[in-house]
Amino acid sequence: MKTKNVADEVLRAALELFAEQGYANTSVQQIVQAAGVTKGAMYHYFTSKDDLLFAIYERMLSLQKRRLDEIMAAGGDTESVLRAVCEDVVVTSIDFLPEGTVFFRSQHMLTPERQAEVKRRRREYHDKFAELIVRGQEEKLFRDDVPVSVLIAHFFSDIHYLPHWYSHEGPENEAELAAQITELFLRSLRRNGG
């Protein structure tokens, strides 16, 4: 096994085991056995199970933040940029559905320091997302009778609920579903409701 792949194999094994039997019921020994590596090899990349759980979610967080920054930097009219951001977060959340499911089920088991880091990183994302909504409000495109924090919670509650009902075998593909959820959200934001 190449050195570069050890971390990936450990993450893959941890994700599968956390999904199958839960974070609390999975031992480091089970993870290294499933990954085909030694504990020493795992500890070279990850200091603990907590570190593994954080790393599983961190990959998705980093990708979504990078994509948000790219979409915003590309510019465009406010609604088009917000549409692109919303569609991207739906698609990437579906692409990382197992990671998101495991993380949201187990995040309360992270150390307080890791929980604070996740909260900080998610706040960074939400603040940028909020900037788009505020910009739309200032341009008189979006309603301002509902607090921005409630509007953001409205959208992200749909995203966080995906693991409970979405299936890759369902009638909509990722792009169609992203467009549908985004359009519902944008309609709820528009001043005229349409």
Side-chain angles (χ1 to χ4, degrees):
M1 181 178 298
K2 294 179 183 175
T3 305
K4 183 179 184 277
N5 292 330
V6 171
D8 290 339
E9 283 302 309
V10 171
L11 280 174
R12 178 201 53 76
L15 177 61
E16 288 175 6
L17 288 167
F18 293 166
E20 288 171 17
Q21 56 194 44
Y23 175 80
N25 296 323
T26 301
S27 70
V28 169
Q29 184 59 42
Q30 290 171 314
I31 294 168
V32 296
Q33 281 181 313
V37 301
T38 65
K39 281 186 182 180
M42 187 201 97
Y43 285 125
H44 179 74
Y45 296 96
F46 306 99
T47 59
S48 63
K49 255 182 27 174
D50 181 75
D51 208 19
L52 281 167
L53 180 59
F54 179 78
I56 285 169
Y57 190 55
E58 196 277 334
R59 290 165 72 179
M60 182 171 75
L61 272 176
S62 293
L63 173 66
Q64 287 179 334
K65 178 64 169 64
R66 186 174 66 249
R67 300 281 294 266
L68 171 71
D69 291 341
E70 290 169 358
I71 292 167
M72 289 183 74
D77 67 271
T78 302
E79 187 170 319
S80 296
V81 173
L82 185 57
R83 178 182 300 280
V85 168
C86 289
E87 288 180 358
D88 180 72
V89 80
V90 173
V91 169
T92 55
S93 293
I94 290 171
D95 288 345
F96 285 83
L97 204 57
E99 290 86 347
T101 302
V102 164
F103 182 78
F104 285 113
R105 194 172 30 178
S106 307
Q107 68 180 334
H108 65 283
M109 295 182 201
L110 286 171
T111 63
E113 297 80 21
R114 287 288 197 198
Q115 287 183 27
E117 176 64 11
V118 168
K119 187 175 183 177
R120 183 191 66 76
R121 302 266 305 274
R122 289 179 70 187
R123 173 61 46 213
E124 271 181 22
Y125 189 98
H126 284 202
D127 288 349
K128 289 270 218 175
F129 194 90
E131 286 176 23
L132 289 169
I133 295 174
V134 169
R135 191 166 79 193
Q137 289 172 331
E138 290 169 351
E139 295 170 358
K140 305 292 187 217
L141 299 171
F142 301 151
R143 64 191 302 165
D144 59 6
D145 60 324
V146 177
V148 172
S149 61
V150 173
L151 296 171
I152 291 171
H154 165 66
F155 176 72
F156 282 98
S157 64
D158 286 348
I159 304 309
H160 297 152
Y161 198 66
L162 282 170
H164 298 284
W165 66 270
Y166 178 77
S167 170
H168 290 286
E169 289 80 39
E172 293 91 9
N173 67 37
E174 296 168 6
E176 291 169 332
L177 183 63
Q180 292 164 354
I181 290 173
T182 297
E183 184 57 32
L184 285 171
F185 178 60
L186 290 173
R187 283 185 188 180
S188 73
L189 281 181
R190 291 184 192 118
R191 279 188 176 265
N192 62 8

